Structure formats: structure tokens, C-alpha cells
Amino acid sequence: MRLSAIAAGLLICGLNASAGMTAPERLAAYETALSSGDPLAAAAFLKDGEARELAEAEPQKAAALLAKAEALKDLKELLAMPWDDAKANQLNQSLSIRIDTDRPLPKMGIGPEPEKLLTWLGKYQPSYPATKKTVLKKAIRQWEVVFGTMTDTRSLSWGQASMRSGQAVTVTKSAWEGMVIRERNSVIEKMIQADPKFLIYNDERLAAAKSDVAVDVAVRAVINSGALTPAQLAQLSGKTFTEQAYLLGNFFDGSDVKVDPVLKAKINSARGSLPQEVLPAQQRDLLGSMLNTAVARELAGTQAGDRALAAFPGGLKIKVAPLSGGYSSYDPASGAVILDSETIQQYMRMKGYTANSLMGSPAQVAEIAKYMSPAVVYESAHKMQADWAAKQGVYKPHMQEDEIEAMSLEGLYTTEKMRKDAEFDRILTSSRDFSSYAFKTLEVGTEFKTGRSKRFATTVRQRYFSGLPSLDAAASQVLGAVTEELDRRSALTPSEKASIDSTGLNQEEALEMSPAELAGSVGEIQTAVLAKIQSDLSRLGVYKKHYNAAEMENSKALKSLEAGAAPEPGAPKA
Amino acid sequence: MKNLILAVSMLSFLAAAACAGAQAKAKGVQFKPYSMDGGYFSCSVPADWSLERDEEKDEQYKIYEIQLLAPKAEKAPTSIFVSYYAKDNADFNGYEDFVKSNSSNVAGETKNSREVFEPAKKITLSGRKALLLSRERMVSLHPKSKSDETVQLKEKLYVLPAQDGFYVLHFSAQKTAFIANLPVFEKIAKSFKGKP
């Protein structure tokens, strides 16, 4: 009690070394204050080199303290951001990865029940603005915000369950209050299926709904244009919006329907592929190998492209497959870049290409290679990161820094290609109004060209990937779980320890895990591997050196490109 | 689909109403003085905006800057950067390079269906020669996922050449928050003092 009071008093006054406390006294005070989640103590501890050095005498304790302090610092910075009602869902995502059962914050009383965050805020940040507190309540999905204050029970029906059949699922306020944010989000996802008013809790689903509305407007415009025959109109009658868009694509393909080409392109890009436009598995494999050569040709000779190619010493390895989440991905197991087949098929629909025409036309393959080459550059950076981590033998979860590096390399590539390759320019600019992939590729290029390396990093952190942990935040999440498990093991008998170590997950398996997987599986990982991960994440300088070097290389490349650029003839293009 | 359209329309209306409310309240901002160590610049900053600085990165890039974030923001932050780009900064070959790069998109265009870049205008700011850049762009919030969520971003930049480098004052906000926060930016700009 006395120690806690001393700690609180000294730290709040901003005094530490100069206050006359010895390093051991300060360390003891930090331990006490951090156990209750004191953010001022966290900041003071992180700056107190002497106390941190002293803590290193017990590496377990040092790592646990560091994890707590980093987590508190990260939370304080997160809450200080300008959250508004419009960003509540973004804040929800950021909090859901930080406040969960296996994270450091609940060990300091901040969770796992989300409302504990409000209690902590009241204690340590009593002057936190009321407007932001309201946003916070929406972000943690407080019962009263989601369901109102008039009820403490909510019945839901989805899937096979229905209220009439007595199979509806009932959520009570008390059960809700026992759920972590992740669990609350899962329930809300089910609610969205039953009631569109819950769309406000998922920005991406809301945007998709708005996009569907835009296509629906285009479908209505074509139907009302007078360009369709009575037989065609009869076919469309009574069909769902998705079916109508598909059928219209068929009409456009098989006859000369005279409607605005912009409406045609909008519907063609949004509709499902016709049978002849679908790339079957065998043709996807073939296209992947054709793209290896075509994309390599595309990348060669540009600064970013050459670096991307260097990541594949044995030659590019591209696969074409359906991806649900994005336009591309990197598969560390096979070392291949996977390009989304639907994104390619959408381009084919816009251009009127079929699977057969593509397979027989090197020119069409070259066009697809140009179109998808920025995605290959982006994924090549992820390959470099995976290779670097494997070479260093360090644990490297997916972090904001990875996205900054990968998107910067892509931005550099797009900037250079747009300047030097007129066909690349034409393909992307002519597609951007109908393809979100093309629009976004150009946007990343514009952001990198205008902001350059330093400002672009801020854009990636704040606008594109604010829900992804930074290196510091990811390290603190994993470090807390690992350190606690190592503490627990130190109390086990040698035979118990040997049992875990003989059957536990090895280094190769552990290094492939995401921070959430790793934090949730620490009990099944070999002790030596946990100690290694603890050691890796306690020395962040190794990671920072790698990312800083990549940032500066991208910065230097664009600067030299601009310095060497010929003066633009006349005014910029309008 | 009709229900969905109705729901989406109502949500859009509610969002617009919320934005209008936010604009009405964004007045009466208190300011306090700020002076960057090293004597690079000083200016007034809004007291209730959060101020961020990464000194390590500043040194790495030789770009010394603060970012001010409005307490109320849209999906894209309402933000003001006050930056000093040293002569040997890592990103730009002088202010002309900055102005040229920020006057068009990656395709070299100044206007299309989603973007407008106004031509650079010569102005005087607090007795110094400066250039004004203005632009408006629709930007994606999730460029790497298939989400089509976008926002309309409006930006205003003052570029001030200096003997050893240049300064940039950069205001960026979603269109719905731009007008309400513009006076804050102008007050910072008027109070700005940098190296000659």
C-alpha cells in the first residue's frame, strides 16, 4: 500500500531518478503500479533505462514488465487518436485485438470484459472527453448502445433457427457482458444477416451494400432504357438483382444491345462471370505459368520491379486462384504469389475476353500481366519479409510495418511504370471506373508519389491499416502471453516440463503462427522456443533496422527517379 | 433490394446529419503556442487537438514535423501537418519537386471523375512568398481488401521556400469536416514562423 502510494505520487509528479529513489525502489514501484494498469508508470518505466537494466537480472520479470508497459503505452496512444462516431467500427477492430482473454491488458484489469476499459478510463483518464467516451461505448458494443436500455433480452433468428419454431437464439444482457469484443462482433455478424439496420456495425458490409445499390441503379437504367426486347424483359421479370445483372451480361454478349457503354461496363464488371469467362482450375494453372514469364518481363528494368524479381532467385512463382479477401496474397508454404482469379476474370469481362481467347493470345496474357504486376510487386515485399525473418530465425507477425514496406514498393513501381510505360498507363486508367483493383492501385501510386516515404507511412498506419498492430503493439501482445507461460513452467516439475517439451510445437510451427494464435497456444509450445520468441521480441532494434532500411531505399529510389525525370512538357495532363 | 436501398439511404442520411452536427460544434477552439526544439518553427496549435511527433523518424528523414489531429474526425483523420523539410531531407529534391509531385495524380492528371488538383497559386503568407495547393480526391479506406469503402478527401497545402529547405503546412480532412476545421488551419498558418 505504502509502495503503491509512493509510486503513484512520484510518477504523477513526473519525478523518477531525480526524486531520490534508488533504481531498486523505482523498479518495485513500477511493478506495483503496472499491475493495476497505471499508464504514467508505464511511460516512466519505458524511459527509465537504469530500472529496466536492473530488471534484466530476472529476464522473465523484465519481459513481463516490458509487455505490460508497451501494452499500456499502446492503449494510451490508441485512445488519444481522434475517434469519432464514424470511426467507431475501426476503433472496435483495434480494441478487439488488444482486449481479449490471452492479451496483456486483461492481466492489468483492462478486460477481458470490454466494460472494464471504461472503469480503467475513469480511474486513469478522468478528463477523457465525453464525446469520445460515447464512441468507445459503441466500439466495445456496450449492450445499451446496441440494443437500447429498454430490454435485457434479445431474441435472434438466423439460419435454420426461427423464433416461431422456438429455435431462436436468445442473448441476454448478462451473457453479453461476459463476452469479449470478438465474441460480441460474431453475434452482431449474425444479426446483420437478419436485419440490415445492424449494417452500421460493419463498415465493409455497409460499403458493399452501397455498391450493390449503385449496380442496381445501373440495372434499372438498362431495363428502363427501351433497348431490351420484350422477350429479354420477360426473362428479367421476377429475378433477383444478382440474376438480372448476370442475364444482362449474357444479353450484352450475345446481341447488340444499344445502351450507354458506361452502364454496360458497370454491370459487366459487377456481374458474375458467364461460363465462357470462367477460368477452370486447369486453365488457371496454365495462366499462372504463362504469367511467370510475362510478369517478369513487365517488372524488369524498373527499380521496384528489379527488387521484386530479386526476391525470387529461382524465377517468379505465380498461381491464379480464387481469393475471398483481397486481390492477391503470398503463400509462404509454397513461396508463390497468388493472384485472385475473380479480379482477372473481371478484367476479362470488361474487355470481352473469354478463357479460350486468353489461352491462345500472348497479347491478352501480356495485358493481364501488366494489369496485375503491381500486385506481384506488393506480394514480393511480403516474400522478402518472410525470407528475412526465416534467415534471421526470428518470430515476425503481420504488422503495420510490413504493409508500409510492401505498399511503398508497390507505390514506387506504379509511379515509375505510369511514367515510362504508356500501355500500363492506358490499361489502368481505362479500368479504374469499373474495377476497384485498378482504382486502388492508382490511388496507392498517387499517395506514394505525393507524400513520399515518410508521409506515406503515416497514411498506411492511420487510414489503411489502423486496425493492424504496429511492431511495438504486436511485440507486447505476444511477449505478455509468452512470459506468463514461462513463469508458469518455472514452477513445473522436471518431468512435467519434459513432457511438454517432448510433444510441444517446435520452432518452425510456432514461427508460422499469428500473434493471436501464438498467444492462445503458448501452453503447447516447447519451452526453448518460447524463450527464443521472448528474446526476439525483447530486442526490437533488429526488426526496426530492417524496416528502416527498406523505407530509406524506397525513399531514395523515388527521389532519384524525380531528380532524373525529364521536365514535363507543358502543363500536367488534364 | 428495396429494403436494403431504404436502409442504406437512411444510414447515409443519419451519417450526413451527424456530420452536420459535428460541423456546427467545431468552433471556439482554444490555441496555445508551440515551438519545435532546434528552432525550426513555431506556431499556435489548437489546445484540444492531439499533437504527435516521431523524433526518431524526423532525424532519419531530416523532415521535422508535427501532426495535429482533430478531436472529432471522420473515417479519414482530420489532420494538420506542420513540416520543415531540411535541404538534405530524404524525400524531396527541394520545394519545386514537392510542388510538382503534389500538383497531379500518379497518372500526371489534374482532373478526372474522382480527383481534382488545382494549379499551384503564388501567394503571400505572413509576409513570406508561398505557394498554395488545393485538391479533392475520392480515396479508398481498404486498398488491399475487396471492400469498396471510400471517402471524399479535401486538402489544402501551403509551401514556403526557405534558404535551407522548405516548409509545408498541410491540412487534410474528409469533405464533410473540411469547412468546419479550415479556420483552425488558417490560424495556424497565420501564426507560423519559420527560418528565413
Side-chain angles (χ1 to χ4, degrees):
Chain A
M1 185 67 177
R2 184 182 161 272
L3 195 56
S4 175
I6 292 171
L10 289 177
L11 293 168
I12 287 166
C13 292
L15 304 170
N16 41 49
S18 61
M21 284 175 81
T22 64
E25 284 172 338
R26 293 200 306 279
L27 182 57
Y30 292 136
E31 281 183 60
T32 309
L34 286 177
S35 65
S36 66
D38 185 339
L40 289 175
F45 174 68
L46 290 172
K47 285 181 185 167
D48 193 337
E50 198 183 357
R52 283 182 63 178
E53 201 174 313
L54 186 67
E56 287 293 341
E58 293 179 71
Q60 296 290 95
K61 192 192 278 183
L65 277 176
L66 184 61
K68 284 180 179 176
E70 290 280 11
L72 284 169
K73 176 176 172 267
D74 170 61
L75 178 66
K76 191 165 179 275
E77 287 171 357
L78 179 76
L79 295 178
M81 286 172 70
W83 299 109
D84 186 293
D85 193 57
K87 294 183 93 177
N89 294 336
Q90 222 173 312
L91 179 58
N92 165 270
Q93 293 300 310
S94 300
L95 289 172
S96 76
I97 57 171
R98 288 166 171 85
I99 303 179
D100 208 329
T101 44
D102 48 12
R103 303 294 194 273
L105 291 174
K107 295 179 180 75
M108 295 178 277
I110 312 166
E113 299 84 355
E115 277 70 21
K116 286 185 177 170
L117 175 63
L118 302 173
T119 312
W120 175 84
L121 203 61
K123 183 176 175 187
Y124 289 109
Q125 295 195 45
S127 58
Y128 196 71
T131 47
K132 284 172 82 174
K133 220 177 270 181
T134 305
V135 176
L136 204 55
K137 287 176 183 173
K138 185 175 178 186
I140 64 171
R141 312 306 191 208
Q142 196 181 45
W143 175 273
E144 289 77 6
V145 176
V146 179
F147 302 108
T149 53
M150 301 298 285
T151 179
D152 58 3
T153 305
R154 170 84 186 201
S155 290
L156 305 161
S157 61
W158 64 77
Q160 297 302 310
S162 74
M163 279 181 272
R164 187 174 293 176
S165 65
Q167 291 176 311
V169 178
T170 298
V171 183
T172 63
K173 189 180 177 197
S174 61
W176 186 261
E177 286 172 349
M179 292 179 192
V180 297
I181 298 173
R182 176 177 43 82
E183 292 165 334
R184 291 181 184 183
N185 285 343
S186 300
V187 176
I188 288 173
E189 279 305 304
K190 302 276 186 190
M191 290 176 186
I192 290 173
Q193 292 170 22
D195 188 346
K197 83 175 181 196
F198 287 104
L199 276 170
I200 57 167
Y201 293 108
N202 186 323
D203 291 336
E204 292 194 14
R205 301 265 304 255
L206 181 59
K210 284 181 179 171
S211 171
D212 281 352
V213 170
V215 178
D216 186 61
V217 169
V219 168
R220 299 290 121 231
V222 173
I223 288 173
N224 297 324
S225 66
L228 300 178
T229 64
Q232 287 171 330
L233 288 170
Q235 279 190 62
L236 294 172
S237 176
K239 298 287 192 305
T240 64
F241 140 77
T242 312
E243 288 166 337
Q244 286 178 337
Y246 182 85
L247 283 170
L248 282 174
N250 222 340
F251 300 160
F252 297 155
D253 189 46
S255 62
D256 185 23
V257 180
K258 296 205 180 328
V259 292
D260 182 349
V262 174
L263 287 178
K264 253 188 194 180
K266 190 173 272 182
I267 293 168
N268 274 336
S269 64
R271 68 172 166 80
S273 292
L274 302 172
Q276 64 272 26
E277 295 162 341
V278 174
L279 292 164
Q282 204 180 351
Q283 288 186 334
R284 289 201 303 263
D285 290 346
L286 191 56
L287 179 60
S289 34
M290 290 159 95
L291 286 174
N292 285 335
T293 319
V295 173
R297 200 176 299 132
E298 210 45 51
L299 302 188
T302 61
Q303 298 193 57
D306 285 338
R307 271 160 60 198
L309 287 172
F312 296 86
L316 276 179
K317 200 172 176 186
I318 295 174
K319 288 182 181 173
V320 177
L323 293 171
S324 57
Y327 308 103
S328 60
S329 73
Y330 170 65
D331 176 28
S334 62
V337 169
I338 302 173
L339 298 177
D340 176 44
S341 53
E342 171 49 29
T343 304
I344 293 173
Q345 286 170 180
Q346 185 195 38
Y347 185 80
M348 290 163 59
R349 292 198 298 272
M350 290 190 294
K351 301 290 290 188
Y353 300 160
T354 64
N356 283 339
S357 76
L358 183 64
M359 292 299 124
S361 165
Q364 288 182 14
V365 172
E367 211 175 315
I368 300 281
K370 271 192 199 298
Y371 186 66
M372 296 305 290
S373 59
V376 176
V377 172
Y378 168 76
E379 298 302 345
S380 75
H382 287 318
K383 181 178 191 301
M384 291 178 217
Q385 289 154 1
D387 291 349
W388 172 82
K391 192 177 172 190
Q392 297 284 323
V394 294
Y395 173 62
K396 192 203 71 58
H398 184 208
M399 303 169 297
Q400 285 180 338
E401 284 76 1
D402 294 321
E403 291 303 324
I404 291 168
E405 182 186 352
M407 293 180 78
S408 297
L409 193 65
E410 180 197 323
L412 175 64
Y413 173 76
T414 303
T415 305
E416 190 170 357
K417 286 292 277 187
M418 289 297 286
R419 193 162 300 174
K420 293 178 174 172
D421 184 341
E423 183 62 2
F424 179 90
D425 181 331
R426 189 193 63 76
I427 286 172
L428 281 163
T429 51
S430 65
S431 307
R432 67 184 158 189
D433 286 340
F434 314 110
S435 152
S436 59
Y437 163 77
F439 156 58
K440 291 171 183 179
T441 299
L442 290 172
E443 187 202 318
V444 169
T446 297
E447 286 293 345
F448 190 71
K449 169 187 171 271
T450 56
R452 302 283 167 91
S453 197
K454 189 171 191 242
R455 185 62 50 82
F456 184 74
T458 306
T459 302
V460 174
R461 285 186 201 277
Q462 295 182 353
R463 193 193 303 159
Y464 298 150
F465 283 97
S466 61
L468 197 65
S470 64
L471 169 61
D472 289 334
S476 98
Q477 282 169 17
V478 174
L479 210 47
V482 167
T483 303
E484 191 174 283
E485 175 61 14
L486 285 172
D487 275 345
R488 188 186 73 82
R489 284 196 199 173
S490 64
L492 298 180
T493 63
S495 64
E496 286 171 326
K497 230 193 262 182
S499 165
I500 297 176
D501 288 341
S502 62
T503 58
L505 298 169
N506 62 26
Q507 183 166 312
E508 195 184 352
E509 292 164 320
L511 295 190
E512 283 178 2
M513 291 179 169
S514 70
E517 287 169 337
L518 204 150
S521 313
V522 285
E524 299 148 36
I525 298 171
Q526 292 170 0
T527 310
V529 178
L530 290 179
K532 187 211 152 10
I533 291 171
Q534 186 188 51
S535 164
D536 289 348
L537 296 178
S538 298
R539 291 170 185 78
L540 294 183
V542 175
Y543 298 81
K544 287 185 178 171
K545 194 176 165 194
H546 165 77
Y547 290 113
N548 285 345
E551 261 187 57
M552 296 318 286
E553 200 171 351
N554 288 333
S555 169
K556 201 175 154 190
L558 188 50
K559 197 175 175 187
S560 71
L561 188 67
E562 292 296 345
E568 287 192 355
K573 283 191 273 177
Chain B
M1 179 51 88
K2 275 183 184 171
N3 284 343
L4 186 60
I5 293 173
L6 186 64
V8 169
S9 306
M10 285 178 69
L11 291 169
S12 302
F13 172 77
L14 290 172
C19 292
Q23 283 183 13
K25 287 177 201 164
K27 288 185 178 171
V29 179
Q30 300 295 309
F31 284 81
K32 62 183 181 184
Y34 174 83
S35 183
M36 180 172 271
D37 47 353
Y40 294 122
F41 62 83
S42 66
C43 59
S44 294
V45 295
D48 63 343
W49 288 39
S50 63
L51 187 153
E52 295 190 358
R53 187 179 172 202
D54 186 338
E55 290 181 47
E56 205 179 311
K57 287 282 175 204
D58 285 1
E59 286 300 334
Q60 186 185 331
Y61 280 89
K62 303 264 187 252
I63 300 170
Y64 303 90
E65 61 187 354
I66 53 171
Q67 185 188 20
L68 299 157
L69 288 156
K72 282 189 168 292
E74 309 290 310
K75 289 185 176 177
T78 298
S79 138
I80 294 171
F81 277 93
V82 182
S83 313
Y84 170 61
Y85 290 76
K87 198 171 187 176
D88 54 348
N89 80 83
D91 274 347
F92 289 94
N93 302 300
Y95 82 92
E96 297 97 336
D97 179 19
F98 183 94
V99 171
K100 185 180 154 199
S101 291
N102 279 272
S103 296
S104 62
N105 69 7
V106 70
E109 299 166 325
T110 55
K111 194 172 183 181
N112 61 50
S113 60
R114 290 189 178 99
E115 301 165 303
V116 178
F117 290 74
E118 299 291 344
K121 287 178 190 161
K122 287 180 182 171
I123 58 158
T124 303
L125 186 71
S126 301
R128 293 177 70 131
K129 282 184 179 174
L131 288 150
L132 164 65
L133 299 171
S134 306
R135 60 192 184 217
E136 197 173 324
R137 296 185 302 135
M138 182 191 280
V139 297
S140 165
L141 296 176
H142 312 282
K144 291 296 158 194
S145 86
K146 289 182 179 173
S147 162
D148 286 336
E149 198 180 7
T150 55
V151 294
Q152 194 73 21
L153 208 63
K154 211 167 165 178
E155 295 171 282
K156 185 171 183 180
L157 300 90
Y158 292 123
V159 183
L160 297 93
Q163 282 169 8
D164 285 313
F166 61 99
Y167 291 95
V168 177
L169 282 65
H170 182 174
F171 171 43
S172 169
Q174 249 176 268
K175 195 173 180 180
T176 46
F178 185 84
I179 294 294
N181 291 289
L182 184 60
V184 175
F185 177 62
E186 298 298 1
K187 175 141 186 172
I188 292 171
K190 274 185 186 160
S191 67
F192 173 81
K193 286 189 176 60
K195 289 181 172 183

